[in-house]
Amino acid sequence: MEKWSHRLIPSPAGRIHVVEEGTGPLVLLVHGFPESWYSWRHQLPALAAAGYRAVAMDVRGYGRSSKPEAIEEYRMRALAEDCAAVVRGLGERTAVVVGHDWGAGIAAHTALLHPGTVTAVGMLSVPYAPRGGPRPSEIFGSLGGDEEFYVSYFQRPGRAEAEIEPDVRGWLAGFYAALSSGTMPPPDAPDVHFVAPGGELRDRFPAGGVLPGWLSEADLDVYAAEFERTGLAGALHRYRNMDRDWEDLAELDGAAIPQPSLFVGGTSDASTMWMSQAIEAFPVTLPGLVSSHLLEGCGHWLQQERAEEFNKILLDWLAAVSAPGTA
């Protein structure tokens, strides 16, 4: 942990904690749920060694970044503005922004809302899909029959917090394992993304407490320590703004991302597979797409599960978008 430089950057949230390594063109890394800047620990040194200024941030509500109390402070517009503020606060005018999970959506919307700041955008696990269609709560509420989709389960403030916070470390271990190749439940098991009536999300986590191969006890300690200190409300508030985002971003209905782009998903990741139609639409929605990859047998946490393989993809893409005529 001591090898990285930590700093706090002023932002509309108050301050954003970032960790950086290296010098050169700025690459801003944005994590998802339930993670932190530490999710990019394998990418920071690889990017620095390749001649980039690698910066991983704690999204507002996480880690050492500010945690506004109001739920609406976690709307997508605010998170995109945080990213732009970090770029400015680092003394830069532009950056490549790469995000995983919710971070993929944040990266995509930073590119759309701050096009002069983002020169290229990379998205991991969750493919870009333009705003449109029915209100998100209507879509999620229609899934699962008698069972409740996890996004709907997260909506009521305090409900998921009450499940997670009494045993943060155990819950995180189960959640990470449930979405990782090698430890996720078999295909014929009850779907871990749904909650049975009267149940909890953790009811369907893998039994036995076995950690996925990418996650050491020490790594889990880092994640658990942060959430034990901060609680989960800030992280969960992102889910509680999906309808608000749908209203806020009406002018982006059907919008394509013109900047050079990258997508990487895993064939064993439900987030990628559910949105296969979004991937098929990339020629329209990502006209600047430079490369798209599906990692065979990889789960959700791909930059940690397949760090070496992903780093090569990332560095090859960065080299391509830095070439004349592509940036």
Side-chain angles (χ1 to χ4, degrees):
M1 299 284 281
E2 292 76 12
K3 67 181 179 180
W4 287 297
S5 173
H6 296 251
R7 60 193 293 188
L8 297 171
I9 305 294
S11 85
R15 59 186 183 180
I16 295 294
H17 169 242
V18 302
V19 177
E20 62 181 308
E21 183 173 355
T23 58
L26 176 60
V27 180
L28 180 62
L29 305 168
V30 189
H31 66 81
F33 175 88
E35 302 179 85
S36 76
W37 72 266
Y38 190 73
S39 304
W40 302 101
R41 62 194 177 280
H42 303 299
Q43 285 68 54
L44 289 165
L47 287 165
Y52 296 96
R53 184 183 187 185
V55 175
M57 62 186 280
D58 277 333
V59 173
R60 69 165 68 188
Y62 288 81
R64 303 182 203 178
S65 291
S66 291
K67 299 160 190 64
E69 183 174 349
I71 292 175
E72 61 268 23
E73 292 297 317
Y74 296 84
R75 68 209 316 155
M76 186 61 77
R77 283 188 178 276
L79 300 179
E81 179 56 43
D82 284 343
C83 291
V86 166
V87 175
R88 295 191 299 268
L90 290 169
E92 304 283 357
R93 292 169 49 193
T94 61
V96 173
V97 182
V98 179
H100 170 253
D101 184 74
W102 267 121
I106 297 170
H109 284 87
T110 305
L112 288 167
L113 296 169
H114 302 275
T117 299
V118 180
T119 58
V121 58
M123 293 156 282
L124 283 61
S125 296
V126 178
Y128 173 64
R131 185 265 186 208
R135 187 178 293 271
S137 60
E138 296 175 3
I139 297 173
F140 299 131
S142 68
L143 301 175
D146 292 338
E147 297 186 338
E148 190 173 17
F149 191 50
Y150 78 100
V151 176
S152 299
Y153 179 74
F154 285 166
Q155 292 303 303
R156 190 170 76 230
R159 183 187 186 188
E161 291 92 323
E163 173 185 342
I164 302 168
E165 291 177 356
D167 178 22
V168 169
R169 193 177 191 278
W171 194 93
L172 289 176
F175 191 74
Y176 295 148
L179 304 185
S180 297
S181 60
T183 52
M184 63 177 58
D188 59 349
D191 195 329
V192 298
H193 301 91
F194 290 86
V195 180
E200 295 182 324
L201 196 63
R202 71 186 305 155
D203 294 341
R204 295 179 177 178
F205 291 171
V210 177
L211 297 184
W214 60 268
L215 184 70
S216 70
E217 295 284 353
D219 293 331
L220 180 58
D221 285 342
V222 172
Y223 287 120
E226 291 293 80
F227 286 111
E228 286 169 349
R229 181 173 56 81
T230 65
L232 270 292
L236 289 162
H237 285 344
R238 174 83 286 275
Y239 291 91
R240 296 163 184 160
N241 276 278
M242 298 182 77
D243 279 354
R244 184 173 285 109
D245 293 339
W246 184 82
E247 297 168 356
D248 275 356
L249 302 171
E251 79 274 17
L252 296 180
D253 197 275
I257 297 177
Q259 292 98 324
S261 56
L262 165 73
F263 175 71
V264 186
T267 63
S268 296
D269 182 5
S271 299
T272 298
M273 296 301 102
W274 286 335
M275 299 183 69
S276 59
Q277 290 184 333
I279 296 173
E280 293 170 3
F282 280 171
V284 174
T285 61
L286 296 178
L289 184 66
V290 174
S291 65
S292 180
H293 305 263
L294 291 178
L295 306 186
E296 187 64 35
C298 185
H300 184 64
W301 321 100
L302 63 87
Q303 79 270 37
Q304 300 176 84
E305 289 188 46
R306 301 281 183 86
E308 185 174 347
E309 185 177 2
F310 170 71
N311 287 353
K312 183 179 187 309
I313 290 170
L314 177 62
L315 293 174
D316 287 348
W317 173 69
L318 288 169
V321 300
S322 300
T326 60

